[in-house]
Amino acid sequence: MTNPTEETEDLAALRGDCARMAPHWPPAERLAVRPVPPALIHGVSVPPASARLLDATAEYGD
């Protein structure tokens, strides 16, 4: 089990990094987006490493 203080400091550092980078990214232009029917979505694959990364991110929301 990790130390809660370490997690807080890591999350605080990540939030600080994001706040410093945000001014460098202009907002995207607003586009009209229509939903895509699920029947048209096929052939999507997720590499195992990406799936593990996404699975691990749930720890931050718990």
Side-chain angles (χ1 to χ4, degrees):
M1 184 171 186
T2 59
N3 181 346
T5 304
E6 289 177 6
E7 288 181 14
T8 304
E9 290 173 359
D10 290 342
L11 183 56
L14 177 60
R15 290 179 71 189
D17 290 343
C18 291
R20 283 187 292 280
M21 290 186 290
H24 300 285
W25 295 324
E29 291 183 24
R30 190 89 174 162
L31 300 175
V33 179
R34 293 181 298 180
V36 175
L40 295 179
I41 301 173
H42 57 83
V44 176
S45 63
V46 178
S50 296
R52 286 191 299 273
L53 176 65
L54 291 174
D55 187 43
T57 58
E59 295 174 13
Y60 287 108
D62 292 343

